Structure formats: C-alpha cells, structure tokens
Amino acid sequence: MHLARFPRVRLCHRPTPLEPMDRLGRLLGGPKLFVKRDDCTGLATGGNKTRKLDFLMGAALARGADTVVTQGAVQSNHVRQTAAAAARLGLKCHVLLERRVPDRPADYETTGNVFLDRLFGATLDYRPPGLDMNAEAERAGEALAAQGAVPYVIPGGGSNPTGALGYVEAALELVRQADDMGIAIDHIVHATGSTGTQAGLVAGLVGSNAHIPVTGISVRQPREVQEAAVHKLAEETAGLLGVQGGIPRDRVVANSDYVGGGYGVPTEGMAEAVRLAARTEGLLLDPVYSGKGMAGLIDLIRKGRFGRDETVVFLHTGGSVGLFAYQDVLPGEGT
Ligand SMILES: *Cc1c(COP(=O)(O)O)cnc(C)c1O
C-alpha cells in the first residue's frame, strides 16, 4: 500500500487525537476505553467525511472539475463537509437532499447541517424518499455538464474506493499512534452507514497485518446487507491499493441491533449515549451516527462482550451539528 500514489488535497487535520475515556469507562465498569477523535478533522466542525474528501477532492481537481455534485439525507454531515471543501478549493457545489427521515420538527430543514450547507454557498435540491439517490446525482451532474460545467460526482457518504482511501490512512495512523502511546488495541467500534469508513479501516488493517477486529454499528441496514456492502467496498479498495489476497469475509462485522425505527429515527439508547458522553467526557456525539454507535458500544459492554482488561477504541466519526435538528428528543439542563 502506498497512498502517495493517489491525488489528494490536504484538508484534514492529522493525526486526530487518541484520548482516554476514563470517566465513561469507570461508569460502565467495562474495558479500557479510548476515543479516536475524528470529530476533530478540522473542516467545518470536522467528522469522518473530511478524510475521504482529501482523496475525492484530489481526484476532482486532477480531472479539472469546476463543480462537485453529491447527495445525502437532509441533515447529511457528508454534504456539509463537501460544501465546505468545495468552498475552500474554489469549486461550486450542488447537492441533492433526500427527505429520508419522517416525523422531524419543522426546523429540521433549516437548522444544523442544512443551515451550514447554505452558508458554504452550496445549491440545494430536495428529493422525496426512496429514490436511487446516486443515480439522481449522476443525472444532476449530466444536466450541469450539458450547461458547460465540468462536474465531479461524489457518491453518498463519499463511499467509493477513492473515498475509502481516507480510512485506510486512518487505520495506519491509529495503529502508529497506539504504538507510540504503548496502547494495545483489542477492538475498534464505530458507526457504519454508507460503508466507506469501515471498508477503508478494514482494508488498511488487513493490508498492514494489524490484527484488530472492527465492529461497525449499523445506522440503517440489516446486518447481512451492511456486511456484504462493506465487504464489497473493502475488496474494491484493497484492489485499488494492490493488497494481496483480498479481504477475508469474516473480517467484516456489522451489528444492526441499534438502528431502532430506521435511519435518523431517534432511539432511547442513542439519547442515553449522547447524554452520557456529554456528561462524563464533555464529548458531543450525534443523533444519527455516533450516538447510535456509542449506544451499541455501551450495550455490548453491559452484556460483557469485552473483557475488563481489554482496550476498546471508539472511532468518533463526528456529526455534532446534527444535534440541533434533534433538540426535541435530547435532554436539557438537569434531566
Ligand atoms: C457518514 C457518517 C458515518 C458513517 O460513515 P460511513 O462511511 O458512511 O459508513 C458515521 N458518523 C457520522 C457522523 C457520519 O456523518
């Protein structure tokens, strides 16, 4: 693996910190907990998409693009980070927002990430739920090309082999950091959605022979569907990097027990996880991804899934801007 062979820009603040979560760990009475702070990637309040955008925007510039087109749910963190990256690089940004989440308050379409998308100057177009949104984005790109633009279309979540390179790099960074700090990692847990994060991590860990298991806590799809999608992208990413022998299927593990009512639909476990992280560690999780990811980690700890002498790293993928669109279900002062 040699990442310098791929075009890139350098938006991401790296390395992101690896910090203990001792107070949360003590409260749960479980393994030693650390958090990899990819909420601190430095672009427009941070998050995991910045790492992917280093490579995706590098590819867009290498192709001579003047416009990026992408898509996501209304409160997409990926869209917010892409809009900021485009502004930073002097590209136009056009996004399609899917009205995917039912029963949100009226300000769901004006606050949080959408507010920032507009601030970064992106043009927004809404879509009803259930369409093939990547196909919609391709069509929007073709329409812009017909008007003379040079568009580069980024799939939802930035999840293709180019975007996943960002998480190959994250895997290498985390292992080196843990080695420097003398921390032997037994397990990595994070939220998985459009699959690029887990696919890149697994490809990086397999490709570098770091034998660290990863559990992706699904925020949308059932386990089998999610594992198959992550594995497919991990294989494609490994292929792009020339990793010998591919990705063993059993290295891809997802858990869909914490999705609740669906993507973006609040759960009690999510609300508890957001509250605990805030009040024991001063950490901001988010309602759609990292809150459900942490809800999964907390529940697995309570079920005794990890030994007390083990070390678990929670990869914090960001998303705190989305909290503002969920004030109706999150606790306030003293609650
Ligand atoms: C997109 C996102 C994820 C999921 O990452 P994927 O690469 O899409 O699987 C997790 N957390 C946050 C905050 C995100 O925005």
Side-chain angles (χ1 to χ4, degrees):
M1 298 194 296
H2 193 17
L3 291 166
R5 295 200 172 114
F6 300 93
R8 71 178 301 169
V9 294
R10 291 180 187 272
L11 301 169
C12 184
H13 295 187
R14 288 183 300 117
T16 59
L18 178 62
E19 297 176 336
M21 292 196 290
D22 289 341
R23 297 194 69 238
L24 182 60
R26 267 201 303 279
L27 184 86
L28 296 169
K32 247 191 190 348
L33 294 182
F34 286 82
V35 55
K36 174 67 169 161
R37 297 291 306 272
D38 274 13
D39 57 323
C40 299
T41 50
L43 178 71
T45 78
N48 60 342
K49 304 312 181 305
T50 308
R51 289 189 186 269
K52 302 180 186 182
L53 286 164
D54 270 11
F55 291 94
L56 291 163
M57 290 305 216
L61 293 181
R63 299 252 191 101
D66 59 17
T67 305
V68 290
V69 178
T70 196
Q71 59 91 0
V74 170
Q75 283 292 336
S76 166
N77 302 301
H78 162 69
V79 165
R80 180 242 315 155
Q81 287 167 89
T82 303
R88 172 82 179 274
L89 298 167
L91 305 180
K92 292 194 185 114
C93 181
H94 181 63
V95 301
L96 305 182
L97 297 180
E98 180 187 13
R99 294 193 158 109
R100 193 187 294 165
V101 181
D103 304 326
R104 290 281 78 227
D107 69 355
Y108 181 80
E109 292 200 1
T110 54
T111 188
N113 283 296
V114 195
F115 172 68
L116 296 186
D117 298 343
R118 294 203 173 100
L119 184 60
F120 290 125
T123 53
L124 314 181
D125 206 357
Y126 287 86
R127 291 288 186 276
L131 298 175
D132 178 343
M133 287 295 288
N134 281 333
E136 292 290 309
E138 289 292 343
R139 263 198 289 283
E142 283 158 21
L144 288 168
Q147 294 162 27
V150 185
Y152 182 81
V153 179
I154 296 176
S159 286
N160 61 16
T162 299
L165 294 176
Y167 270 87
V168 172
E169 182 168 73
L172 304 179
E173 175 184 306
L174 174 59
V175 171
R176 176 171 323 143
Q177 196 171 31
D179 284 342
D180 287 347
M181 294 168 75
I183 298 165
I185 303 172
D186 295 299
H187 217 102
I188 299 170
V189 176
H190 69 93
T192 177
S194 70
T195 74
T197 300
Q198 189 170 7
L201 273 182
V202 170
L205 292 170
V206 170
S208 62
N209 288 315
H211 301 285
I212 305 174
V214 178
T215 297
I217 306 292
S218 176
V219 302
R220 189 174 186 188
Q221 307 196 91
R223 180 174 62 82
E224 309 74 51
V225 178
Q226 188 68 12
E227 286 185 352
V230 171
H231 184 247
K232 176 166 181 284
L233 182 54
E235 287 273 25
E236 289 168 4
T237 307
L240 184 62
L241 286 161
V243 172
Q244 302 292 312
I247 305 295
R249 175 62 185 77
D250 63 3
R251 296 296 301 268
V252 175
V253 176
N255 180 327
S256 56
D257 293 347
Y258 307 95
V259 176
Y263 176 88
V265 177
T267 63
E268 276 179 28
M270 176 281 289
E272 184 200 19
V274 168
R275 179 169 49 84
L276 283 182
R279 293 181 186 186
T280 62
E281 299 290 345
L283 272 181
L284 293 175
L285 302 179
D286 86 279
V288 180
Y289 295 96
S290 52
K292 286 186 178 174
M294 180 64 87
L297 174 57
I298 289 171
D299 189 58
L300 293 174
I301 290 172
R302 286 177 175 154
K303 288 180 167 147
R305 200 65 57 85
F306 307 105
R308 288 197 65 140
D309 53 351
E310 286 193 301
T311 294
V312 178
V313 172
F314 180 71
L315 172 65
H316 189 338
T317 43
S320 61
V321 171
L323 286 169
F324 296 98
Y326 286 80
Q327 294 176 58
D328 56 323
V329 293
L330 293 169
E333 185 184 355
T335 54

